[in-house]
Amino acid sequence: MKLFRSKTSRLRRRSNQYTIRYAIEELKFLRSFNDLRIFHRKIGFLLPRIIGTFDRFHKVPPSLQIEPTNYCNADCICCPSSRSLRPRGHMDINLFRRIADDASRIGVKLVFLFLHGEPMLHPRLAQMIRYLKSKGLAFHLTTNGVLLNEEKIRKILGSGVNSADYVSFSILGASKEVHDRILRREHYEKAVENLSLLLSLRKKLRVNGPVIETVFHRMPENAHEEKEFVKKWRGVVDHVRLGGDISQSFSEYKRDGEQLAVRTDTCLNLWQKMTVFWNGDVTTCCEDVDGDWVLGNLSEQSISEIWNSERLLAIKRIHKEKQLKKLPLCYTCDMR
């Protein structure tokens, strides 16, 4: 137990160091008063993570995590999505607009546009992004990068993006060999090519956004390339993000294996975002891959109704009181 707490503390210190570096690296996007306002909002969003607390009385989720699709064109060794029992599908564009309208109306600021699938597989993703921007919402898109092309990139860059928005390329190795071995696909070269094209077109079109980053999640198969990864991408992209160790509770989701260390600390994600599946189901968090802890559905209910529901508030109280044995999903979760 002591070792578990020590690891948690170490990971948080490291995360705080990278958060501070992020803030410094983003100063280059300050080109107008609006950029300064966006920067201030970002700091306000990240500050609770740095100090390890969150306003327990939010009536509105600071962000949404929306799953455009749970189809994927990779089969990563660290991801349980291929083992998921949930039906596969794409979010209906009218449902997406309904959610975005509601989010904009109540003051949500940020939408994470990815979850258990590759978002670029959604045939109307560019329309989704344009609609978010028309509603004053920022987006954060994480992709393996393979399905991007010049046409899609131009549509994204022409949708009203600015320094509030992010596109993260999930690159899981400094070398092609390691990256492709983890994805179990020959994807590295195409991903790097499309990343370079996005950087080039953003510069050519003089668009102050989105923020472009590479993200590296450490696991036994790629840990030896972490330093090389940082060296390779720092100075090329806006951020080199080290996502830390892959959550064991996520990678081993519903697999028989050794018992995970029990969780003893409150999960801030419960206060930071609302997780929405492609069919509108709202679940407790991204660790609930199969939707065993669904709280409601946004085709029938509003964001506020679910966010302030007695069921979710009860889960938050259990976390606040650290009575996590009552929540099997949370009790053995090591996500930070």
Side-chain angles (χ1 to χ4, degrees):
M1 193 73 68
K2 184 177 180 180
L3 180 63
F4 184 72
R5 287 195 296 267
S6 176
K7 179 181 178 182
T8 299
S9 178
R10 186 171 65 253
L11 289 174
R12 281 187 174 162
R13 284 198 303 271
R14 183 175 179 176
S15 175
N16 292 347
Q17 290 171 356
Y18 278 101
T19 300
I20 293 169
R21 186 183 185 98
Y22 253 49
I24 294 171
E25 289 175 338
E26 293 214 0
L27 293 176
K28 69 178 181 181
F29 288 99
L30 300 183
R31 302 178 188 177
S32 68
F33 179 78
N34 186 51
D35 293 323
L36 183 61
R37 182 176 58 82
I38 290 170
F39 182 77
H40 180 265
R41 184 189 300 167
K42 289 180 182 180
I43 295 298
F45 189 84
L46 291 173
L47 188 60
R49 282 276 172 186
I50 297 175
I51 63 179
T53 187
F54 217 83
D55 180 3
R56 303 298 199 250
F57 302 101
H58 269 301
K59 295 298 182 182
V60 174
S63 65
L64 303 181
Q65 180 148 26
I66 297 177
E67 179 181 72
T69 181
N70 60 345
Y71 285 108
C72 194
N73 59 339
D75 184 23
C76 299
I77 61 176
C78 55
C79 180
S81 295
S82 62
R83 304 192 303 273
S84 174
L85 301 177
R86 270 196 300 132
R88 305 281 171 178
H90 299 309
M91 179 171 280
D92 177 78
I93 192 66
N94 292 321
L95 172 59
F96 180 82
R97 288 172 178 156
R98 172 192 165 109
I99 295 170
D101 288 345
D102 191 15
S104 177
R105 181 181 60 81
I106 65 176
V108 175
K109 302 299 184 184
L110 174 64
V111 173
F112 292 93
L113 205 53
F114 62 94
L115 189 56
H116 301 306
E118 169 49 51
M120 294 304 304
L121 282 168
H122 195 291
R124 303 180 76 174
L125 185 73
Q127 288 177 258
M128 289 178 161
I129 290 173
R130 181 177 290 277
Y131 197 77
L132 289 176
K133 298 312 299 177
S134 75
K135 293 295 176 178
L137 293 162
F139 72 89
H140 188 149
L141 174 71
T142 293
T143 174
N144 58 42
V146 175
L147 298 176
L148 274 174
N149 54 40
E150 183 169 347
E151 179 184 3
K152 291 177 180 178
I153 290 172
R154 286 184 178 274
K155 285 181 178 179
I156 291 172
L157 292 177
S159 65
V161 295
N162 55 32
S163 59
D165 307 308
Y166 288 77
V167 175
S168 299
F169 284 73
S170 184
I171 298 181
L172 300 178
S175 67
K176 166 181 166 55
E177 292 73 23
V178 169
H179 176 80
D180 289 350
R181 191 182 311 132
I182 291 173
L183 269 66
R184 294 193 276 219
R185 297 287 190 276
E186 296 289 325
H187 278 180
Y188 182 81
E189 291 177 349
K190 191 64 178 176
V192 171
E193 175 186 330
N194 290 335
L195 171 53
S196 299
L197 181 59
L198 176 58
L199 287 165
S200 174
L201 286 174
R202 186 184 68 172
K203 182 178 180 180
K204 180 180 179 180
L205 298 174
R206 298 182 179 180
V207 182
N208 193 31
V211 179
I212 300 169
E213 61 182 18
T214 51
V215 56
F216 179 96
H217 292 286
R218 188 173 54 249
M219 60 196 81
E221 292 80 5
N222 67 4
H224 63 287
E225 289 199 339
E226 183 178 74
K227 290 183 179 179
E228 184 182 348
F229 181 91
V230 173
K231 183 178 179 181
K232 182 170 187 173
W233 291 108
R234 183 158 286 163
V236 177
V237 294
D238 303 314
H239 299 309
V240 179
R241 182 154 62 90
L242 300 179
D245 294 327
I246 285 283
S247 162
Q248 187 181 357
S249 54
F250 179 73
S251 62
E252 298 299 316
Y253 180 78
K254 288 191 175 179
R255 269 184 181 159
D256 294 330
E258 63 180 279
Q259 176 66 38
L260 297 173
V262 296
R263 187 183 195 102
T264 59
D265 60 328
T266 301
C267 180
L268 300 181
N269 285 295
L270 283 170
W271 283 268
Q272 191 174 36
K273 67 178 67 168
M274 173 183 276
T275 302
V276 187
F277 290 152
W278 67 267
N279 65 349
D281 280 346
V282 174
T283 186
T284 308
C285 80
C286 62
E287 292 273 313
D288 183 22
V289 178
D290 277 339
D292 296 325
W293 291 72
V294 169
L295 303 166
N297 188 287
L298 290 180
S299 65
E300 304 163 352
Q301 299 162 272
S302 70
I303 293 170
S304 293
E305 284 173 338
I306 297 177
W307 187 253
N308 295 292
S309 67
E310 180 52 39
R311 188 176 179 193
L312 181 54
L313 293 176
I315 291 172
K316 290 180 178 180
R317 282 196 296 271
I318 290 171
H319 267 261
K320 190 175 180 181
E321 296 165 3
K322 296 183 171 56
Q323 300 294 316
L324 299 178
K325 285 185 179 181
K326 298 177 181 179
L327 300 170
L329 178 70
C330 305
Y331 190 49
T332 57
C333 174
D334 61 338
M335 184 179 70
R336 297 293 178 267

